[in-house]
Amino acid sequence: MNTNRFDRVVDLMREENLAQILVTSPTSVFYLTGTWVSPGERMLALLVRTDGNVTLFANKLFALQGKVDVPMIEYDDTDDCVALVAGHLLPGDIGIDKNWPSHFTIRLMNARADIRPVLGSGPVDRARMCKDEDECARMRASSLLNDRVIARLMDELHEGMTELEACARYSAIARELGASGDSFPPLICFGPNCAEPHHDSDDTPLRKGDSVICDVGLVLDDYCSDMTRTLFYGQPTLEMEKVYALVKAANEAGRAAVRPGVPMKEFDRAARSVIEEAGYGEYFIHRTGHSIGLEVHEKPDNSAVDETIAQPGMTFSVEPGIYLPGRFGVRIEDLVLVTQDGVETLNHVSRELRVFE
């Protein structure tokens, strides 16, 4: 059990006037207990109360005896697991994880008419938002490994290689170099497919004149990385060069704006304004980024509407892009870490325009 993290969550519970929450996300349970559980359809719930009561409810199949150092109540498949939880709740509001299956929540409501489920993910999400020193070190290591993998992948791209073959090659290199897996399915696209920000990689082969987007990430020591580089197979057109230069400038402006005490929306504005002022605003069709850590997408967003104030320890992406339908697209993405007085960029692969033959 990580006492500092529990204490932080309890403090945030008090800020939100929540006396009790059920932490049911396996990632958040790991964050607090240091133990991974993949519950499948079975219930996993960590009850945290501001009075100091902490109880983990878990199926005996998870074999957690001796692996966790928090009080635990085990059940088997013949038990009413929700009734066990219901018997340990205080009357009043109970904070429920945002992704807890509704069938558990409804059963809990039926078992206890004196409780009121409310959204309760905030305290843990906010605690996870600011990484401690150990987490920052793991984020750096994960990103540096991703740098090595994408550099090797870009050297291996060749004419006729399909998007899916490139994705498979990325995953193979990542595992060869020590990653435990991908942080998300690799997103690698060629030519006109690059105009779709989340194109599902397919059997499209690489051809001369294509832009190439490689949006990839891996998991190392439980922490995710995420990075995008765009390169060109054969000499790019003048417009491709212009668009690339704009996206590169937007990426630089977005990262340069990052510092503690500033609302997240200002980082989006810094990147987006570069593209808008050049007349390509309508082709930048997504937020500038997302937070990342134990999961590839965490709270808060790096978007035009997020009012969250940046704090030291926050890690998120800066990934502006321009997408010209039916033609080509460019995205450049880096992860950044908010420091005490500014920003640290976690990726180091060159952002200079790259042409390969």
Side-chain angles (χ1 to χ4, degrees), residues 143-178:
S143 291
L144 287 173
L145 181 58
N146 200 27
D147 283 354
R148 293 173 59 199
V149 177
I150 198 172
R152 273 188 52 179
L153 174 69
M154 291 191 297
D155 285 341
E156 295 186 15
L157 295 172
H158 59 81
E159 186 164 4
M161 185 182 214
T162 69
E163 294 173 345
L164 286 173
E165 287 171 343
C167 291
R169 188 63 191 133
Y170 169 83
S171 298
I173 297 170
R175 284 163 178 77
E176 176 189 333
L177 295 183

Side-chain angles (χ1 to χ4, degrees), residues 6 17 33 50 82 102 158 225 244 250 285 289 292 299 314 352 355:
F6 269 104
N17 295 315
T33 68
T50 53
V82 174
S102 60
H158 59 81
S225 55
Y244 189 91
I285 57 177
I292 186 171
K299 298 289 185 181
M314 290 173 59
E352 296 303 314
V355 179

Side-chain angles (χ1 to χ4, degrees), residues 232-266:
F232 299 92
Y233 180 45
Q235 187 60 39
T237 66
L238 290 177
E239 185 172 26
M240 285 176 169
E241 292 182 355
K242 176 184 177 182
V243 167
Y244 189 91
L246 281 171
V247 174
K248 179 174 177 285
N251 170 282
E252 291 170 349
R255 289 185 292 114
V258 176
R259 60 187 184 279
V262 178
M264 293 289 290
K265 66 180 183 180
E266 295 302 322

Side-chain angles (χ1 to χ4, degrees), residues 25-28 30-31 36 98-99 124-132 135 139 183 222-226 264 287 289-303 306 308 313-317 319 335:
S25 156
T27 308
S28 291
F30 168 78
Y31 175 76
W36 279 109
K98 55 184 178 290
N99 293 323
V124 182
D125 284 349
R126 291 169 62 197
R128 286 174 52 185
M129 188 171 71
C130 294
K131 277 61 178 176
D132 58 30
E135 291 180 291
M139 287 298 301
S183 54
D222 302 307
Y223 282 78
C224 297
S225 55
D226 186 5
M264 293 289 290
R287 63 191 175 187
H290 56 86
S291 293
I292 186 171
L294 288 168
E295 295 175 286
V296 74
H297 283 191
E298 298 186 346
K299 298 289 185 181
D301 291 336
N302 181 3
S303 74
D306 201 299
T308 306
M314 290 173 59
T315 51
F316 52 87
S317 67
E319 50 181 298
L335 297 187

Side-chain angles (χ1 to χ4, degrees), residues 243-258 262-289 302-304 316-322 331-334 336:
V243 167
Y244 189 91
L246 281 171
V247 174
K248 179 174 177 285
N251 170 282
E252 291 170 349
R255 289 185 292 114
V258 176
V262 178
M264 293 289 290
K265 66 180 183 180
E266 295 302 322
F267 312 146
D268 180 279
R269 171 63 10 218
R272 193 172 302 276
S273 62
V274 173
I275 293 173
E276 289 178 341
E277 289 169 7
Y280 285 86
E282 65 182 295
Y283 303 112
F284 181 7
I285 57 177
H286 55 73
R287 63 191 175 187
T288 293
N302 181 3
S303 74
F316 52 87
S317 67
V318 177
E319 50 181 298
I322 294 175
R331 180 165 65 255
I332 302 174
E333 174 187 16
D334 293 287
V336 298

Side-chain angles (χ1 to χ4, degrees), residues 22-70:
L22 286 175
V23 181
T24 57
S25 156
T27 308
S28 291
V29 171
F30 168 78
Y31 175 76
L32 292 170
T33 68
T35 300
W36 279 109
V37 181
S38 298
E41 77 276 13
R42 293 180 171 86
M43 187 195 75
L44 174 72
L46 179 66
L47 173 65
V48 181
R49 298 192 339 201
T50 53
D51 62 6
N53 183 293
V54 176
T55 308
L56 179 65
F57 299 85
N59 195 292
K60 293 177 181 177
L61 291 174
F62 304 155
L64 295 180
Q65 287 290 347
K67 297 180 181 178
V68 293
D69 55 0
V70 297

